Each structure stands twice: as C-alpha cells, then as structure tokens.
C-alpha cells in the first residue's frame, strides 16, 4: 500500500473520530460555552503535542524558525475563524443549514488548490465533490428544504476558513516537520478562542472553568477532544497532507457527518430516513471515488520526483 492510500485511510480515521465524538462535545458545550471550551481544548492539545515533541522528537524543535511560526499562526487563524464563525452562525440559523454550508468547503478546496498549488481539477475531483455536496444535502435536509437566513452568511465564512486551512496545510506541510507545525497552529486557536471568549461571554466562563471542568460531561469531552480529536487529529492531517491532495482531503473530511449520523443512530436514539441513508451512501461513494481515482501527485511526491530527476542529470 503506497503512502497516498495510507494517508487517505488515516484522514478517514480523523473524520470518523470527529463524527463519532460530536454527541460528546455537544453535551459539554451546554455546560461550558463553546469559545471557552475550545480555548481549553486547543491549548491543552498544543501542550500535549509540545510535550510529545520535546520527549520523542526533540530535534524537530531545533528546526523551528520565524517563517514556520508565521505559517503555523496563519493556519491557526483559519481554523479559529472556522470554529468561531460556525459558533456565531448557530445563534441565527439551524443546525441543518450549518452542517450543509460548512460542508460546502469540499467544493471550495479544489479552487483554492488550483490557485495555491497549481493543482489541476480533474473530472473525478469535480464529480466526487459534487456527489459529496448532494449527499450532504440529502443527509442534512431530510424531509425539509434549505431555507437561508442571516446566520448562513456567517457559516459560509466558516466554510471558506476551513477550506483555506485544508488548502494551506497542503502548501506548508511538505516544508516543515508536522509536530511543531501542528502544535503552534493549535496554540494559536486556543489563545484566540480564549480572547474571543472574554470578549463575547465575559470573564465568568473561564473564571469558573476549573469547577465546570470537573463536571462529568465536560471532563470526558475534554479528555476526548484534547487528545484524539485535536492533538492527534491535526498531527495526522499535517503529516498526511504531504502525500495527498487538498481536494481529496476535503472529500474525505465530508464523511464526518456520516459518522455523526451513525453515532446518533446507535447511541443517541435518532433515526435515519431513506433520504439521509441515501445521502450517507453518496458521501461514501464520493470519498471512494476521490481516493481510488487517478489524480495529480501531491507536493511531497513532486519534490521527490524532482530530486530524482536532478540527481540523474549528467
């Protein structure tokens, strides 16, 4: 199995973790507001990755420079804007609208890849992206129709921010070691979330976070979020995007609501209608098409091929 396939399976694991833990996080943010929760979640994840790097990959910290720090902060800014605008959008729109519009990033990423990486958009990419969007619509709007409101504009900014994070990770991941790049990115998200929490919610949530963290729903959600779904998930994403394209990553990440729906079905007592089931199948088919279809070589593979060509010159 080549590196591209391993990267695809690893990213699918990330999407599965995000989707399967949605119910856990949803319960926690009813107790601890989302911005305060995210500040603790991402600062904790950054510290965990920093500790892993210091103990097992110490030489990677020696590669840290101002350029890497700046690029990591840019990725962190995009990620923070994604989570922040998604949270604000939920105040004015429905969960269905939020899920569908956020998923539109799967269509935005190929355009950004074309602009940033000069990656050609093949017919397989377009078809898989379109199939994923159709699946998201069927899954999200079971028995209803898309009804737009002012909160949807905020969620659309969230979709653009997430698309930029995926696309720019494709640009920067081949240049830097994955661990420090991911750690700095998550630290940026955590600190910006803390500042936004103070501005939006006031000092009370963070001031009482020590007490709120001890509540079982919050404690369990933070343990899951800091480790598997933040530290390790973004470490995996940063490392794997060296061996695949941002467009494929976006389609794979579109499977997150499928896993969320299946988790709700098994553990939340929810039901899946025919439309939702068809939507899940469309998204999974789109993911398989994106992963199995021929596509342009990722940045790391192109660099490796260029080095081999140069070394073979007389």
């Amino acid at each position: 199995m080549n590196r591209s396939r391993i990267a695809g399976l690893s990213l699918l694991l990330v999407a599965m973790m995000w989707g399967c833990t949605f119910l856990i996080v949803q319960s926690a943010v009813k107790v601890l507001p989302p911005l305060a929760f995210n500040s603790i979640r991402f600062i904790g994840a950054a510290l965990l990755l920093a500790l892993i790097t210091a103990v097992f990959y110490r030489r990677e910290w020696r590669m840290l420079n101002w350029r890497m720090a700046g690029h990591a902060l840019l990725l962190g800014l995009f990620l923070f804007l994604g989570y922040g605008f998604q949270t604000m959008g939920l105040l004015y729109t429905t969960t269905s609208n939020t899920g569908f519009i956020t998923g539109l990033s799967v269509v935005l990423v190929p355009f950004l890849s074309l602009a940033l990486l000069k990656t050609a958009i093949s017919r397989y990419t377009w078809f898989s992206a379109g199939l994923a969007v159709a699946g998201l619509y069927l899954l999200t709007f079971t028995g209803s129709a898309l009804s737009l409101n002012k909160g949807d504009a905020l969620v659309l900014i969230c979709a653009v921010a997430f698309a930029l994070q995926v696309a720019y990770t494709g640009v920067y991941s081949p240049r830097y070691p994955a661990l420090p790049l991911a750690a700095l990115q998550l630290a940026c998200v955590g600190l910006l979330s803390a500042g936004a929490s103070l501005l939006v919610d006031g000092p009370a949530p963070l001031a009482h976070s020590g007490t709120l963290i001890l509540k079982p729903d919050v404690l369990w959600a933070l343990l899951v979020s800091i480790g598997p779904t933040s530290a390790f998930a973004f470490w995996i994403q940063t490392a794997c995007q060296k061996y695949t394209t941002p467009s494929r990553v976006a389609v794979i990440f579109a499977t997150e609501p499928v896993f969320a729906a299946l988790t709700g079905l098994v553990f939340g007592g929810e039901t899946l209608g025919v439309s939702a089931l068809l939507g899940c199948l469309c998204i999974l088919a789109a993911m398989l098409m994106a992963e199995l279809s021929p596509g342009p070589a990722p940045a790391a593979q192109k660099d490796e091929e260029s080095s081999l060509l140069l070394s073979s010159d007389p």
Side-chain angles (χ1 to χ4, degrees), residues 49 52 57 178-179 182 186 230-240:
L49 287 184
I52 291 172
Y57 303 92
L179 269 169
L186 298 185
S230 292
F232 297 121
F234 287 102
W235 180 10
I236 290 169
Q237 182 198 356
T238 307
C240 288

Side-chain angles (χ1 to χ4, degrees), residues 142-166:
T142 304
S144 62
L146 175 62
S147 177
L148 298 175
N149 57 61
K150 65 179 183 180
D152 298 322
L154 297 173
V155 181
L156 183 59
I157 298 173
C158 146
V160 173
F162 281 138
L164 285 167
Q165 193 271 343
V166 171

Side-chain angles (χ1 to χ4, degrees), residues 35 83 114 133 154 164 218 268 275:
L35 288 170
Y83 281 108
L114 178 63
V133 171
L154 297 173
L164 285 167
V218 179
S275 178

Side-chain angles (χ1 to χ4, degrees), residues 144-280:
S144 62
L146 175 62
S147 177
L148 298 175
N149 57 61
K150 65 179 183 180
D152 298 322
L154 297 173
V155 181
L156 183 59
I157 298 173
C158 146
V160 173
F162 281 138
L164 285 167
Q165 193 271 343
V166 171
Y168 271 97
T169 298
V171 175
Y172 298 140
S173 60
R175 302 182 188 178
Y176 308 115
L179 269 169
L181 185 65
L184 290 171
Q185 175 186 182
L186 298 185
C188 177
V189 179
L191 293 173
L192 289 174
S193 297
S197 177
L198 292 172
L199 288 173
V200 175
D201 302 318
L206 288 176
H208 297 94
S209 60
T211 303
L212 296 175
I213 285 173
L214 297 178
K215 294 183 178 295
D217 285 349
V218 179
L219 181 60
W220 175 236
L222 282 173
L223 288 174
V224 171
S225 297
I226 288 173
T229 65
S230 292
F232 297 121
F234 287 102
W235 180 10
I236 290 169
Q237 182 198 356
T238 307
C240 288
Q241 280 204 232
K242 297 178 182 180
Y243 307 110
T244 189
T245 63
S247 299
R248 285 180 174 177
V249 175
V251 174
I252 292 170
F253 281 174
T255 62
E256 179 188 347
V258 175
F259 292 113
L262 293 175
T263 303
L265 179 68
V266 176
F267 298 104
E270 300 175 4
T271 58
L272 279 181
V274 175
S275 178
L277 184 59
L278 184 59
C280 290

Side-chain angles (χ1 to χ4, degrees), residues 19-243:
C20 291
T21 56
F22 182 80
L23 280 176
I24 299 172
V25 175
Q26 193 175 39
S27 299
V29 295
K30 292 177 182 177
V31 180
L32 187 63
L35 288 170
F37 179 87
N38 280 341
S39 67
I40 299 170
R41 168 187 177 179
F42 286 108
I43 289 173
L47 291 174
L48 177 59
L49 287 184
L51 178 62
I52 291 172
T53 309
V55 174
F56 299 104
Y57 303 92
R58 191 174 304 171
R59 64 185 181 85
E60 291 194 1
W61 278 125
R62 301 192 190 107
M63 302 171 68
L64 180 63
N65 54 52
W66 287 111
R67 183 179 293 272
M68 184 202 295
H71 290 160
L73 294 179
L74 182 64
L75 293 176
L77 175 63
F78 291 143
L79 201 57
F80 164 73
L81 291 174
Y83 281 108
F85 278 103
Q86 187 180 63
T87 302
M88 287 190 290
L90 277 169
L91 297 175
Y92 306 103
T93 190
T94 63
T95 303
S96 296
N97 281 25
T98 300
F100 175 69
I101 296 172
T102 300
L104 291 179
S105 59
V106 74
V107 177
L108 299 174
V109 168
F111 285 109
L112 294 170
S113 298
L114 178 63
L116 298 172
L117 295 172
K118 310 302 179 187
T119 303
I121 305 176
S122 69
R123 63 180 182 275
Y124 296 103
T125 298
W126 277 121
F127 190 77
S128 60
L131 190 60
V133 171
L136 284 167
Y137 183 86
L138 290 170
L139 176 60
T140 308
F141 298 102
T142 304
S144 62
L146 175 62
S147 177
L148 298 175
N149 57 61
K150 65 179 183 180
D152 298 322
L154 297 173
V155 181
L156 183 59
I157 298 173
C158 146
V160 173
F162 281 138
L164 285 167
Q165 193 271 343
V166 171
Y168 271 97
T169 298
V171 175
Y172 298 140
S173 60
R175 302 182 188 178
Y176 308 115
L179 269 169
L181 185 65
L184 290 171
Q185 175 186 182
L186 298 185
C188 177
V189 179
L191 293 173
L192 289 174
S193 297
S197 177
L198 292 172
L199 288 173
V200 175
D201 302 318
L206 288 176
H208 297 94
S209 60
T211 303
L212 296 175
I213 285 173
L214 297 178
K215 294 183 178 295
D217 285 349
V218 179
L219 181 60
W220 175 236
L222 282 173
L223 288 174
V224 171
S225 297
I226 288 173
T229 65
S230 292
F232 297 121
F234 287 102
W235 180 10
I236 290 169
Q237 182 198 356
T238 307
C240 288
Q241 280 204 232
K242 297 178 182 180
Y243 307 110

